[in-house]
Amino acid sequence: MPTVPPLAEVEILSQGDEVLEGEVADTNAAEIARAVVDLGLPVGRHACVGDDPAAIAALLFEAAERATEVICTGGLGPTADDHTAAAVAEAFGLALCEHPRALEQVRARYARRGRDLDETGRRQARIPAGARVLENAAGTAPGFVLDRPPARLWCLPGVPSEMRAMLARHVLPALRARYPDLAPARLVRFRCLGLPESRAQLLLGDVARPGVRVGYRAVLPEVQVKLRFAPDLAPGAVERILAETGARLGASVFAVEDGEQVGAIEEVVGRLLLARGQTVAAAESCTAGRLCAALTRLPGSSGYFLEGAVVYANEAKERTCGVPRALIEAHGAVSEAVARALAEGVRARAGSTWGLATTGIAGPGGGTPEKPVGTVHVAVAGPVGTRHLALRLVGDREEVMARAVAAVLGLLREVILAPRPG
Amino acid sequence: MPTVPPLAEVEILSQGDEVLEGEVADTNAAEIARAVVDLGLPVGRHACVGDDPAAIAALLFEAAERATEVICTGGLGPTADDHTAAAVAEAFGLALCEHPRALEQVRARYARRGRDLDETGRRQARIPAGARVLENAAGTAPGFVLDRPPARLWCLPGVPSEMRAMLARHVLPALRARYPDLAPARLVRFRCLGLPESRAQLLLGDVARPGVRVGYRAVLPEVQVKLRFAPDLAPGAVERILAETGARLGASVFAVEDGEQVGAIEEVVGRLLLARGQTVAAAESCTAGRLCAALTRLPGSSGYFLEGAVVYANEAKERTCGVPRALIEAHGAVSEAVARALAEGVRARAGSTWGLATTGIAGPGGGTPEKPVGTVHVAVAGPVGTRHLALRLVGDREEVMARAVAAVLGLLREVILAPRPG
């Protein structure tokens, strides 16, 4: 095991023309940085170069001179613009060899897809001599890690789901093992719905102080408030600040993450339903499938999700959810009355514990002075009645839809936890 | 005016803890890169450091050694963690001076907001000696540009709207003036479905040649093949290569982007339906709302999308789409027969031109040796019969679902363009 240098520092490298030329923002780098900082390790730099072997080699060499951990994504695939393995070999004067374990993994992956391994695919098994293969359970290209004491060089694929799985499985455990004395700051995250970021800042403006860092992050449809506490802060002080923060944010908080991740509102709701043996059905107008998609995100969702009706046309609202035409004519499709009727109708149709509904104007067209774009009604029908929320949501079409989905799921969470007549 | 070096290259630097620690992805870098590439200038590298004056100075100095244009964002504000001007002065051994024109701009900005200029705000007027002030019409912090021949160093604010306005007003015109002979490469993008990246590479392995750069990019559920042609390539040669590429990629191509963007498969299909005055309804089992969500992504989708049924439970398949229980019992819910019955059932129910259906096993549970995770059947019912595809899809739960949605939309595009009996 290499000597642990006094100052451990991480550099994050990305390679690929699509990132360099701005086709995509470098979300991999951000995700890796968050994970590393959460461990308590400092990040020194990010850098990105294109699909150019010489540029990659130069960057790798420099980073290994500065940092003790270099985490690189991209360029491991089978195609002619994938150069990372060759660039690592070039940077450190190593041979590039077909690695038996890597070959076995690539071959097995191809076999599972019912394909023969051709010469192109086989390129993915070539890694620098001395590197250790990192299995990629989610894709074909294996990663690898190379020791260049005091630096260690991790090469992961650029496909975000593959990168994420390999970071969690290979990299983070190895970082914890190499730096056992890390004292990560305690991190508590308040996950909020229906609260703008600027309002959260206003509510919590005076919470930051020495030893307490407050961060705000809008992750549609949520705003997350992150409190990072220095390890030497007194536990009593931490608890007081947490209680104060929770009180100020109030009912907009749907989950508090303290160490473990609880997931998005649909996961919180899904687990509540499973634990109570309850079921749900959904009638969607303006969200047009996105509510059902959210309700089925959690594996095992067939344990609580029965059926959905995407009732875009008014005829569909009548036919499938039994909403009387007269009701639609009297109040308009975007109304409290229709939202309630949809929720009750789909609940009756499916025979579920809960019936959810959304109806609104997602835009960009369709707004009127009385019902502008962003006007949304959501409802939850249940055993003791129907609850309703009238919303005025901001954002573009998909943002309005995402906020409407989160709002009805947040309402469902409330009524599951405290059912009361609507 | 400094001498124009033979190879002009741009580096893009970002500074700020929120980017370095991954709280936000570096969208400024991506936006600047796209603008620069669109001018025809090559980008060499992006890099990011935190709010640390020594790290910023080191990075600036290095970048000015490599590139002819260095575009830096962030760290120009009034607060204690804004260090860019001081770091530039430090990197190049310059004095940091209060600049009269900068001071005037900051003061005017404060006045417009009805605030007096305090010492903190006044810091924003201190720029390195010899730099030229760049007015910031959207915020308080002026930017500046410094000549370090052959490099030129642009410092812009990190607030995206301010960065964007100053890039357009100050930077891009100066780049055009300094490099008047720029001719952007012609870029043509083939957007493909159901084609693995390695297979695309195999098909097009010999297309790359001097003057033709071929790039591959997997953007779930698509694979995109990008051809970039040097400006001096003969038009006839370009057309031959494009024709050859299209022929080799074959039916997997759902769109060719040449200058203008056509959007994802759901947008292509949505425009086809609108142009023909046709309508669609969808019955979803394994995709559980995601197909309806895709069909309604385009504003104006109510012009062709009528209704969707998310028939997760078998009872829902029977009740809503009239799939006989005996058919489900004989073939299983995940079968060609049920996919066809769902597509025909939802078409009859909605009275639409087309009926779409998906049924499959998205995983991670529910697979069997005969029907492993990723087994999906999709069908399109229409005026002259029903077409069906049996798929074996790879990826995690959401990826299988996304690929199933794309597959049924791809099939719909085919039958719209060439309807024939199933």
Side-chain angles (χ1 to χ4, degrees), chain B residues 43-77:
Chain B
V43 178
R45 200 185 269 209
H46 306 183
C48 166
V49 291
D51 299 319
D52 170 352
I56 303 166
L59 183 60
L60 288 163
F61 189 82
E62 285 169 36
E65 296 282 297
R66 280 187 302 253
T68 60
E69 304 283 343
V70 178
I71 306 175
C72 180
T73 60
L76 293 183

mmCIF file of all heavy atoms in Angstrom, chain B residues 43-77:
data_model
loop_
_atom_site.group_PDB
_atom_site.id
_atom_site.type_symbol
_atom_site.label_atom_id
_atom_site.label_comp_id
_atom_site.label_asym_id
_atom_site.label_seq_id
_atom_site.Cartn_x
_atom_site.Cartn_y
_atom_site.Cartn_z
ATOM 1 N N VAL B 43 -11.600 24.435 -28.972
ATOM 2 C CA VAL B 43 -11.446 24.522 -27.526
ATOM 3 C C VAL B 43 -10.428 23.465 -27.118
ATOM 4 O O VAL B 43 -10.505 22.319 -27.564
ATOM 5 C CB VAL B 43 -12.784 24.261 -26.808
ATOM 6 C CG1 VAL B 43 -12.599 24.302 -25.293
ATOM 7 C CG2 VAL B 43 -13.825 25.265 -27.235
ATOM 8 N N GLY B 44 -9.468 23.848 -26.302
ATOM 9 C CA GLY B 44 -8.438 22.906 -25.896
ATOM 10 C C GLY B 44 -8.745 22.205 -24.588
ATOM 11 O O GLY B 44 -8.499 21.018 -24.426
ATOM 12 N N ARG B 45 -9.284 22.949 -23.654
ATOM 13 C CA ARG B 45 -9.449 22.395 -22.322
ATOM 14 C C ARG B 45 -10.448 23.234 -21.535
ATOM 15 O O ARG B 45 -10.589 24.427 -21.792
ATOM 16 C CB ARG B 45 -8.076 22.458 -21.612
ATOM 17 C CG ARG B 45 -7.930 21.540 -20.440
ATOM 18 C CD ARG B 45 -6.587 21.776 -19.751
ATOM 19 N NE ARG B 45 -5.528 20.925 -20.282
ATOM 20 C CZ ARG B 45 -4.476 20.520 -19.544
ATOM 21 N NH1 ARG B 45 -4.356 20.896 -18.285
ATOM 22 N NH2 ARG B 45 -3.539 19.753 -20.081
ATOM 23 N N HIS B 46 -11.156 22.590 -20.574
ATOM 24 C CA HIS B 46 -11.849 23.319 -19.511
ATOM 25 C C HIS B 46 -11.130 22.978 -18.221
ATOM 26 O O HIS B 46 -10.652 21.862 -18.068
ATOM 27 C CB HIS B 46 -13.274 22.849 -19.239
ATOM 28 C CG HIS B 46 -14.206 22.789 -20.383
ATOM 29 N ND1 HIS B 46 -15.525 22.444 -20.220
ATOM 30 C CD2 HIS B 46 -14.040 23.018 -21.695
ATOM 31 C CE1 HIS B 46 -16.135 22.466 -21.387
ATOM 32 N NE2 HIS B 46 -15.256 22.801 -22.304
ATOM 33 N N ALA B 47 -11.176 23.896 -17.258
ATOM 34 C CA ALA B 47 -10.697 23.553 -15.927
ATOM 35 C C ALA B 47 -11.454 24.374 -14.902
ATOM 36 O O ALA B 47 -11.983 25.444 -15.204
ATOM 37 C CB ALA B 47 -9.198 23.792 -15.814
ATOM 38 N N CYS B 48 -11.491 23.855 -13.704
ATOM 39 C CA CYS B 48 -12.214 24.511 -12.619
ATOM 40 C C CYS B 48 -11.434 24.377 -11.319
ATOM 41 O O CYS B 48 -10.924 23.301 -11.016
ATOM 42 C CB CYS B 48 -13.579 23.837 -12.481
ATOM 43 S SG CYS B 48 -14.438 24.238 -10.955
ATOM 44 N N VAL B 49 -11.308 25.478 -10.594
ATOM 45 C CA VAL B 49 -10.743 25.440 -9.240
ATOM 46 C C VAL B 49 -11.704 26.168 -8.299
ATOM 47 O O VAL B 49 -12.661 26.805 -8.748
ATOM 48 C CB VAL B 49 -9.339 26.094 -9.156
ATOM 49 C CG1 VAL B 49 -8.297 25.265 -9.887
ATOM 50 C CG2 VAL B 49 -9.376 27.520 -9.676
ATOM 51 N N GLY B 50 -11.430 26.073 -7.005
ATOM 52 C CA GLY B 50 -12.323 26.661 -6.007
ATOM 53 C C GLY B 50 -11.960 28.104 -5.686
ATOM 54 O O GLY B 50 -11.190 28.753 -6.401
ATOM 55 N N ASP B 51 -12.526 28.598 -4.590
ATOM 56 C CA ASP B 51 -12.316 29.995 -4.192
ATOM 57 C C ASP B 51 -10.984 30.132 -3.463
ATOM 58 O O ASP B 51 -10.944 30.505 -2.289
ATOM 59 C CB ASP B 51 -13.457 30.454 -3.268
ATOM 60 C CG ASP B 51 -14.809 30.381 -3.963
ATOM 61 O OD1 ASP B 51 -14.872 30.741 -5.151
ATOM 62 O OD2 ASP B 51 -15.783 29.958 -3.320
ATOM 63 N N ASP B 52 -9.899 29.857 -4.163
ATOM 64 C CA ASP B 52 -8.571 29.804 -3.543
ATOM 65 C C ASP B 52 -7.616 30.598 -4.435
ATOM 66 O O ASP B 52 -7.300 30.187 -5.550
ATOM 67 C CB ASP B 52 -8.156 28.329 -3.453
ATOM 68 C CG ASP B 52 -6.710 28.155 -3.051
ATOM 69 O OD1 ASP B 52 -5.958 29.144 -2.973
ATOM 70 O OD2 ASP B 52 -6.323 26.995 -2.834
ATOM 71 N N PRO B 53 -7.146 31.788 -3.964
ATOM 72 C CA PRO B 53 -6.380 32.689 -4.840
ATOM 73 C C PRO B 53 -5.151 32.015 -5.462
ATOM 74 O O PRO B 53 -4.873 32.219 -6.650
ATOM 75 C CB PRO B 53 -5.948 33.816 -3.890
ATOM 76 C CG PRO B 53 -6.902 33.766 -2.744
ATOM 77 C CD PRO B 53 -7.356 32.356 -2.612
ATOM 78 N N ALA B 54 -4.422 31.194 -4.688
ATOM 79 C CA ALA B 54 -3.219 30.567 -5.238
ATOM 80 C C ALA B 54 -3.577 29.581 -6.342
ATOM 81 O O ALA B 54 -2.907 29.503 -7.387
ATOM 82 C CB ALA B 54 -2.450 29.851 -4.120
ATOM 83 N N ALA B 55 -4.646 28.811 -6.136
ATOM 84 C CA ALA B 55 -5.057 27.830 -7.153
ATOM 85 C C ALA B 55 -5.517 28.543 -8.421
ATOM 86 O O ALA B 55 -5.217 28.108 -9.536
ATOM 87 C CB ALA B 55 -6.182 26.947 -6.600
ATOM 88 N N ILE B 56 -6.233 29.659 -8.247
ATOM 89 C CA ILE B 56 -6.703 30.405 -9.422
ATOM 90 C C ILE B 56 -5.506 30.977 -10.183
ATOM 91 O O ILE B 56 -5.427 30.873 -11.413
ATOM 92 C CB ILE B 56 -7.647 31.550 -8.999
ATOM 93 C CG1 ILE B 56 -8.822 31.005 -8.190
ATOM 94 C CG2 ILE B 56 -8.172 32.298 -10.225
ATOM 95 C CD1 ILE B 56 -9.609 32.093 -7.452
ATOM 96 N N ALA B 57 -4.551 31.554 -9.458
ATOM 97 C CA ALA B 57 -3.377 32.152 -10.101
ATOM 98 C C ALA B 57 -2.601 31.101 -10.884
ATOM 99 O O ALA B 57 -2.193 31.325 -12.026
ATOM 100 C CB ALA B 57 -2.490 32.829 -9.055
ATOM 101 N N ALA B 58 -2.405 29.919 -10.273
ATOM 102 C CA ALA B 58 -1.652 28.855 -10.949
ATOM 103 C C ALA B 58 -2.361 28.441 -12.235
ATOM 104 O O ALA B 58 -1.738 28.278 -13.292
ATOM 105 C CB ALA B 58 -1.498 27.649 -10.007
ATOM 106 N N LEU B 59 -3.667 28.279 -12.150
ATOM 107 C CA LEU B 59 -4.429 27.831 -13.311
ATOM 108 C C LEU B 59 -4.396 28.872 -14.432
ATOM 109 O O LEU B 59 -4.211 28.541 -15.617
ATOM 110 C CB LEU B 59 -5.876 27.548 -12.876
ATOM 111 C CG LEU B 59 -6.818 26.990 -13.929
ATOM 112 C CD1 LEU B 59 -6.300 25.665 -14.464
ATOM 113 C CD2 LEU B 59 -8.215 26.798 -13.341
ATOM 114 N N LEU B 60 -4.547 30.145 -14.075
ATOM 115 C CA LEU B 60 -4.517 31.211 -15.079
ATOM 116 C C LEU B 60 -3.170 31.262 -15.782
ATOM 117 O O LEU B 60 -3.088 31.411 -17.004
ATOM 118 C CB LEU B 60 -4.772 32.567 -14.394
ATOM 119 C CG LEU B 60 -6.185 32.831 -13.907
ATOM 120 C CD1 LEU B 60 -6.174 33.992 -12.916
ATOM 121 C CD2 LEU B 60 -7.093 33.147 -15.092
ATOM 122 N N PHE B 61 -2.120 31.144 -15.016
ATOM 123 C CA PHE B 61 -0.781 31.216 -15.577
ATOM 124 C C PHE B 61 -0.542 30.073 -16.564
ATOM 125 O O PHE B 61 -0.079 30.293 -17.689
ATOM 126 C CB PHE B 61 0.260 31.186 -14.451
ATOM 127 C CG PHE B 61 1.640 31.472 -14.919
ATOM 128 C CD1 PHE B 61 2.068 32.783 -15.102
ATOM 129 C CD2 PHE B 61 2.531 30.442 -15.219
ATOM 130 C CE1 PHE B 61 3.351 33.062 -15.557
ATOM 131 C CE2 PHE B 61 3.807 30.708 -15.671
ATOM 132 C CZ PHE B 61 4.219 32.020 -15.832
ATOM 133 N N GLU B 62 -0.898 28.868 -16.159
ATOM 134 C CA GLU B 62 -0.758 27.696 -17.044
ATOM 135 C C GLU B 62 -1.551 27.877 -18.331
ATOM 136 O O GLU B 62 -1.064 27.581 -19.426
ATOM 137 C CB GLU B 62 -1.369 26.446 -16.394
ATOM 138 C CG GLU B 62 -0.605 25.808 -15.305
ATOM 139 C CD GLU B 62 -1.502 24.775 -14.618
ATOM 140 O OE1 GLU B 62 -2.311 24.118 -15.301
ATOM 141 O OE2 GLU B 62 -1.388 24.648 -13.390
ATOM 142 N N ALA B 63 -2.802 28.297 -18.187
ATOM 143 C CA ALA B 63 -3.678 28.382 -19.353
ATOM 144 C C ALA B 63 -3.137 29.405 -20.344
ATOM 145 O O ALA B 63 -3.170 29.191 -21.558
ATOM 146 C CB ALA B 63 -5.098 28.748 -18.921
ATOM 147 N N ALA B 64 -2.592 30.518 -19.830
ATOM 148 C CA ALA B 64 -2.054 31.560 -20.708
ATOM 149 C C ALA B 64 -0.806 31.082 -21.444
ATOM 150 O O ALA B 64 -0.432 31.644 -22.473
ATOM 151 C CB ALA B 64 -1.764 32.832 -19.905
ATOM 152 N N GLU B 65 -0.153 30.040 -20.929
ATOM 153 C CA GLU B 65 1.001 29.456 -21.617
ATOM 154 C C GLU B 65 0.571 28.570 -22.784
ATOM 155 O O GLU B 65 1.336 28.328 -23.707
ATOM 156 C CB GLU B 65 1.823 28.591 -20.642
ATOM 157 C CG GLU B 65 2.450 29.352 -19.503
ATOM 158 C CD GLU B 65 3.703 30.078 -19.964
ATOM 159 O OE1 GLU B 65 4.661 29.402 -20.373
ATOM 160 O OE2 GLU B 65 3.703 31.323 -19.940
ATOM 161 N N ARG B 66 -0.625 27.997 -22.670
ATOM 162 C CA ARG B 66 -1.069 27.016 -23.664
ATOM 163 C C ARG B 66 -1.977 27.611 -24.721
ATOM 164 O O ARG B 66 -1.916 27.245 -25.893
ATOM 165 C CB ARG B 66 -1.867 25.889 -22.977
ATOM 166 C CG ARG B 66 -1.060 24.815 -22.304
ATOM 167 C CD ARG B 66 -1.985 23.700 -21.827
ATOM 168 N NE ARG B 66 -2.997 24.191 -20.913
ATOM 169 C CZ ARG B 66 -3.010 23.961 -19.598
ATOM 170 N NH1 ARG B 66 -2.065 23.232 -19.046
ATOM 171 N NH2 ARG B 66 -3.961 24.454 -18.855
ATOM 172 N N ALA B 67 -2.887 28.506 -24.326
ATOM 173 C CA ALA B 67 -3.975 28.926 -25.221
ATOM 174 C C ALA B 67 -3.758 30.350 -25.702
ATOM 175 O O ALA B 67 -2.985 31.116 -25.119
ATOM 176 C CB ALA B 67 -5.310 28.822 -24.501
ATOM 177 N N THR B 68 -4.461 30.728 -26.755
ATOM 178 C CA THR B 68 -4.389 32.115 -27.212
ATOM 179 C C THR B 68 -5.552 32.941 -26.678
ATOM 180 O O THR B 68 -5.483 34.163 -26.670
ATOM 181 C CB THR B 68 -4.383 32.195 -28.748
ATOM 182 O OG1 THR B 68 -5.581 31.616 -29.235
ATOM 183 C CG2 THR B 68 -3.189 31.463 -29.330
ATOM 184 N N GLU B 69 -6.628 32.238 -26.270
ATOM 185 C CA GLU B 69 -7.751 32.933 -25.638
ATOM 186 C C GLU B 69 -8.114 32.135 -24.394
ATOM 187 O O GLU B 69 -8.378 30.938 -24.469
ATOM 188 C CB GLU B 69 -8.976 32.975 -26.572
ATOM 189 C CG GLU B 69 -8.720 33.608 -27.927
ATOM 190 C CD GLU B 69 -8.647 35.130 -27.900
ATOM 191 O OE1 GLU B 69 -9.109 35.741 -26.909
ATOM 192 O OE2 GLU B 69 -8.106 35.708 -28.875
ATOM 193 N N VAL B 70 -8.131 32.808 -23.254
ATOM 194 C CA VAL B 70 -8.516 32.168 -22.002
ATOM 195 C C VAL B 70 -9.770 32.880 -21.518
ATOM 196 O O VAL B 70 -9.743 34.107 -21.322
ATOM 197 C CB VAL B 70 -7.400 32.268 -20.952
ATOM 198 C CG1 VAL B 70 -7.836 31.627 -19.635
ATOM 199 C CG2 VAL B 70 -6.117 31.619 -21.477
ATOM 200 N N ILE B 71 -10.856 32.128 -21.367
ATOM 201 C CA ILE B 71 -12.127 32.734 -20.937
ATOM 202 C C ILE B 71 -12.461 32.175 -19.563
ATOM 203 O O ILE B 71 -12.627 30.973 -19.397
ATOM 204 C CB ILE B 71 -13.255 32.443 -21.944
ATOM 205 C CG1 ILE B 71 -12.831 32.872 -23.355
ATOM 206 C CG2 ILE B 71 -14.545 33.158 -21.524
ATOM 207 C CD1 ILE B 71 -13.836 32.524 -24.442
ATOM 208 N N CYS B 72 -12.514 33.080 -18.595
ATOM 209 C CA CYS B 72 -12.648 32.689 -17.200
ATOM 210 C C CYS B 72 -13.962 33.223 -16.636
ATOM 211 O O CYS B 72 -14.322 34.368 -16.913
ATOM 212 C CB CYS B 72 -11.459 33.278 -16.452
ATOM 213 S SG CYS B 72 -11.413 32.911 -14.712
ATOM 214 N N THR B 73 -14.686 32.410 -15.876
ATOM 215 C CA THR B 73 -15.923 32.898 -15.246
ATOM 216 C C THR B 73 -15.848 32.709 -13.738
ATOM 217 O O THR B 73 -15.255 31.772 -13.242
ATOM 218 C CB THR B 73 -17.182 32.162 -15.751
ATOM 219 O OG1 THR B 73 -17.054 30.776 -15.460
ATOM 220 C CG2 THR B 73 -17.387 32.344 -17.232
ATOM 221 N N GLY B 74 -16.489 33.630 -13.033
ATOM 222 C CA GLY B 74 -16.639 33.503 -11.581
ATOM 223 C C GLY B 74 -15.633 34.329 -10.807
ATOM 224 O O GLY B 74 -14.609 34.761 -11.323
ATOM 225 N N GLY B 75 -15.942 34.595 -9.546
ATOM 226 C CA GLY B 75 -14.996 35.229 -8.629
ATOM 227 C C GLY B 75 -14.835 36.726 -8.802
ATOM 228 O O GLY B 75 -13.850 37.289 -8.332
ATOM 229 N N LEU B 76 -15.791 37.408 -9.451
ATOM 230 C CA LEU B 76 -15.659 38.859 -9.653
ATOM 231 C C LEU B 76 -16.552 39.666 -8.711
ATOM 232 O O LEU B 76 -16.563 40.891 -8.776
ATOM 233 C CB LEU B 76 -16.021 39.223 -11.097
ATOM 234 C CG LEU B 76 -15.084 38.707 -12.183
ATOM 235 C CD1 LEU B 76 -15.551 39.209 -13.535
ATOM 236 C CD2 LEU B 76 -13.653 39.147 -11.921
ATOM 237 N N GLY B 77 -17.314 38.997 -7.875
ATOM 238 C CA GLY B 77 -18.275 39.705 -7.026
ATOM 239 C C GLY B 77 -17.616 40.445 -5.876
ATOM 240 O O GLY B 77 -16.389 40.537 -5.791
#
